[in-house]
Amino acid sequence: MSFYITTSISYVNGQPHLGHAYEAIATDVLARHHRQRSDDTFFLTGTDEHGEPVADAAKANGYEPREWADLNAEKFKALLPELGVEPDFFIRTSDPQHEQKVQDVLQRVYDNGYVYKGTYTGWYCPRCADFKVENEILEGNRCPIHEIELTKENEENYFFKLSAFQSQLEALFAENQGFVGPPRARNEAEAFLAGGLQDVSLTRAKLTWGVQVPWDHSHVFYVWFDALLNYYTALSYARANADLTERYWPASVHMIGKDILKFHTIYWPALLLAAGLEPPKGVFVHGFLQGADGRKMSKSLGNGLDPLDVTERFGADALRFFLLREVQFGSDGPVGMDAVANRYSAELANDYGNLASRTLAMIARYRDSDVSSRATDPELAAEFTGLPATVSAALDAVDLTGGLDQIWQRVRRLNRYVEEQRPWELARDEAAAARLDTVLASLHEGVRSLSVLLYPFIPAATAKVLAALGTPDTDYSAAAFGTHAAATARVEKIPPLFPKEPD
Ligand code: ME8
């Protein structure tokens, strides 16, 4: 099975922030999970470099748009390894191959009769690069997202006949119940559709920083159409000697934030249909992370959380784990450094880190690092039955928090098992030797199977644990408790996975 997942592409008008990190991490977890399942996986991310938001920021900083984009795209690229995020390709919408393909596809939309020349009169937000329809506007003609005053635009543009796709989009929503998730986002998209679609500007005559319109060189494409097409164009040139379009299109999941829902759930499928292409299979809309005070993160409030501050202090695994555990994925929620520190010590260091270290240390001490006796405790095994299927079902529904919680309940169960069985007492009693074998084998197998399941969430720590257990395989086929029953393994002790912070 092929699995093609994307993040939205980041505007290069500013610095990467926690919202970008959040989306990249969530997408990386799903990509790693599908790679574990041996799905033919492709994970795309990148930067959105054209249009007003970038041109305005460049100008304000005294740069040409291209110089500004080059400078900032590097920062977005450099963030990814800091987060343990491993995409298969990083697209920049200023790539010449992307620009060429945008022209090809939109020329097809024109040739298919879905483009006409008209005059746009209405409200426009230069920060969203969005032409707002009446019911999207706050009192005083302000942007509902940026709260700035909208500008009244009156310009001659080419329009895309979005209204021609009303019934096709209604059919798409009806036929594909999973098209938009979670349900709240689907309702919002359906409400927008029910309001009746109006045609939208496809080109702009006022801007020069964009992809030139092939049938009229005095226009560039409106940045959203250029940007959305990245998901399609990237496949044609991500690999030097292969076009991956057939292999991966249509996309399985576009991961996006709630402020860009209309573009992805309405404009995007309509544009693809207009070009004679298949719409994506799914769009998942994650929530917004807020400051610890529950307010929108902002520089002036000083309530932001910088992803690199977290990774420097606690590591990439800790940021990944924290973000997906602290806030139900798909909802909004507050985050802050104190909460990171709490989860780091209570959950990563104590629940998982200690469990792994203790298991390895006990096997080293009581069995000279050898766990060749593999008889596990049937009662404990029963509590793990079906866990890999439960976790993959949660991840298929993009319930990252729910999947992680299922795993964590078993991490806690194994800690209770240690307390119940008291292996250190069994070790003092020669008559209990066989029982100790069973307890140690059960712990080894429990930590191993949980580490395979946790691998997409905390890849660095789990890889260390699995190597130390003598079972480095991260394949999902090895995720079930008992899979390694016939194997023998020699373990190695490891230093603390999540060390205490120096006082
Ligand atoms: O919108 N919490 O780019 P962008 C969670 N270039 N997610 C957040 C967030 C927060 N506090 N703030 C922003 C764009 N985001 C366009 C996309 S795609 C063809 C073009 C999310 O850099 C936001 O919802 O402004 C979006 O999904 C992503 O960060 C990039 O935002």
Side-chain angles (χ1 to χ4, degrees):
M1 195 191 93
S2 79
F3 182 76
Y4 175 31
I5 189 165
T6 66
T7 65
S8 72
I9 47 173
S10 317
Y11 279 132
V12 287
N13 49 358
Q15 304 288 328
H17 56 61
L18 190 66
H20 297 117
Y22 185 47
E23 194 169 296
I25 286 170
T27 308
D28 186 70
V29 169
L30 286 177
R32 284 179 190 268
H33 174 69
H34 281 271
R35 289 186 199 121
Q36 277 188 308
R37 276 158 66 177
S38 301
D39 288 338
D40 179 17
T41 302
F42 199 82
F43 165 15
L44 178 73
T45 189
T47 42
D48 184 357
E49 305 192 0
H50 291 135
E52 240 155 355
V54 175
D56 289 353
K59 197 166 172 204
N61 288 278
Y63 283 87
E64 286 301 313
R66 180 168 299 282
E67 288 173 343
W68 179 253
D70 285 347
L71 200 70
N72 282 301
E74 281 312 310
K75 296 182 192 158
F76 284 88
K77 226 182 223 176
L79 175 71
L80 302 175
E82 301 298 325
L83 309 173
V85 168
E86 292 179 356
D88 294 294
F89 189 60
F90 189 98
I91 187 171
R92 297 184 52 189
T93 55
S94 60
D95 292 342
Q97 301 97 318
H98 166 78
E99 296 185 354
Q100 171 72 53
K101 197 83 186 176
V102 166
Q103 290 178 327
D104 293 350
V105 175
L106 293 176
Q107 179 71 52
R108 220 182 308 156
V109 172
Y110 182 86
D111 295 342
N112 289 346
Y114 294 113
V115 178
Y116 62 93
K117 203 166 192 177
T119 304
Y120 178 80
T121 315
W123 298 105
Y124 180 78
C125 173
R127 295 267 296 281
C128 294
D130 187 12
F131 298 96
K132 304 282 181 189
V133 293
E134 284 302 329
N135 60 7
E136 288 183 297
I137 294 173
L138 292 185
E139 225 175 277
N141 298 320
R142 281 173 304 116
C143 167
I145 293 164
H146 297 100
E147 297 178 10
I148 56 171
E149 263 191 48
L150 300 170
T151 47
K152 187 99 187 174
E153 293 284 351
N154 187 355
E155 59 181 44
E156 195 171 70
N157 289 333
Y158 289 91
F159 279 72
F160 170 52
K161 274 192 204 166
L162 182 63
S163 59
F165 293 90
Q166 181 79 33
S167 59
Q168 283 188 70
L169 288 193
E170 284 166 4
L172 172 67
F173 275 81
E175 281 158 22
N176 180 356
Q177 285 302 317
F179 180 52
V180 181
R184 191 182 331 105
R186 183 182 163 99
N187 293 342
E188 192 183 328
E190 284 189 312
F192 187 87
L193 189 57
L197 297 180
Q198 296 172 26
D199 297 343
V200 291
S201 292
L202 175 70
T203 73
R204 315 260 348 243
K206 280 193 179 163
L207 287 178
T208 51
W209 178 236
V211 178
Q212 203 174 50
V213 173
W215 63 84
D216 183 340
H217 291 182
S218 65
H219 286 240
V220 295
F221 285 111
Y222 169 41
V223 63
W224 266 102
F225 289 102
D226 159 8
L228 286 163
L229 276 165
N230 91 88
Y231 305 129
Y232 180 73
T233 65
L235 295 176
S236 66
Y237 71 95
R239 294 291 174 265
N241 40 22
D243 186 326
L244 303 176
T245 313
E246 282 285 302
R247 186 161 154 196
Y248 293 114
W249 196 260
S252 311
V253 185
H254 294 308
M255 190 72 86
I256 61 161
K258 60 181 186 173
D259 54 333
I260 55 179
L261 175 142
K262 173 180 76 177
F263 301 103
H264 284 81
T265 62
I266 306 287
Y267 291 16
W268 179 223
L271 183 73
L272 287 163
L273 290 169
L277 299 169
E278 258 188 277
K281 290 181 224 160
V283 176
F284 191 86
V285 184
H286 61 73
F288 263 41
L289 299 175
Q290 304 151 339
D293 53 6
R295 298 166 75 180
K296 188 175 176 185
M297 284 193 193
S298 84
K299 282 213 178 87
S300 52
L301 290 173
N303 62 352
L305 183 65
D306 183 331
L308 294 177
D309 285 348
V310 177
T311 56
E312 264 166 38
R313 211 170 134 186
F314 298 107
D317 279 357
L319 177 66
R320 297 167 70 99
F321 175 79
F322 170 77
L323 291 177
L324 297 175
R325 188 140 167 87
E326 181 76 2
V327 178
Q328 174 64 43
F329 196 68
S331 302
D332 297 345
V335 293
M337 199 56 113
D338 289 348
V340 179
N342 288 339
R343 288 213 186 259
Y344 178 84
S345 71
E347 299 193 320
L348 286 175
N350 281 348
D351 290 350
Y352 178 69
N354 266 351
L355 173 71
S357 303
R358 272 172 117 182
T359 298
L360 293 163
M362 289 191 291
I363 296 170
R365 180 149 172 215
Y366 304 138
R367 288 294 178 268
D368 194 22
S369 298
D370 177 10
V371 268
S372 47
S373 158
R374 302 298 310 178
T376 52
D377 215 323
E379 278 177 31
L380 185 73
E383 294 187 51
F384 282 69
T385 307
L387 183 60
T390 306
V391 171
S392 57
L395 297 194
D396 284 345
V398 200
D399 180 6
L400 300 178
T401 311
L404 181 54
D405 190 57
Q406 284 291 329
I407 307 170
W408 217 257
Q409 287 179 27
R410 271 45 168 230
V411 170
R412 295 199 165 138
R413 175 67 192 101
L414 278 189
N415 278 305
R416 286 200 306 279
Y417 184 75
V418 176
E419 297 310 317
E420 287 161 14
Q421 302 297 328
R422 311 184 80 74
W424 49 93
E425 285 178 9
L426 297 175
R428 276 189 246 122
D429 177 2
E430 266 178 39
R435 181 68 201 152
L436 181 59
D437 281 342
T438 303
V439 169
L440 294 179
S442 302
L443 285 172
H444 183 277
E445 185 55 9
V447 174
R448 188 198 62 73
S449 62
L450 292 177
S451 298
V452 174
L453 294 170
L454 282 172
Y455 164 75
F457 296 91
I458 47 172
T462 50
K464 278 188 213 159
V465 171
L466 287 166
L469 289 167
T471 52
D473 191 359
T474 56
D475 247 44
Y476 216 65
S477 59
F481 189 104
T483 316
H484 272 248
T488 57
R490 284 198 67 78
V491 308
E492 284 164 19
K493 286 205 278 183
I494 48 171
L497 286 169
F498 300 99
K500 275 214 171 64
E501 280 193 282
D503 291 324

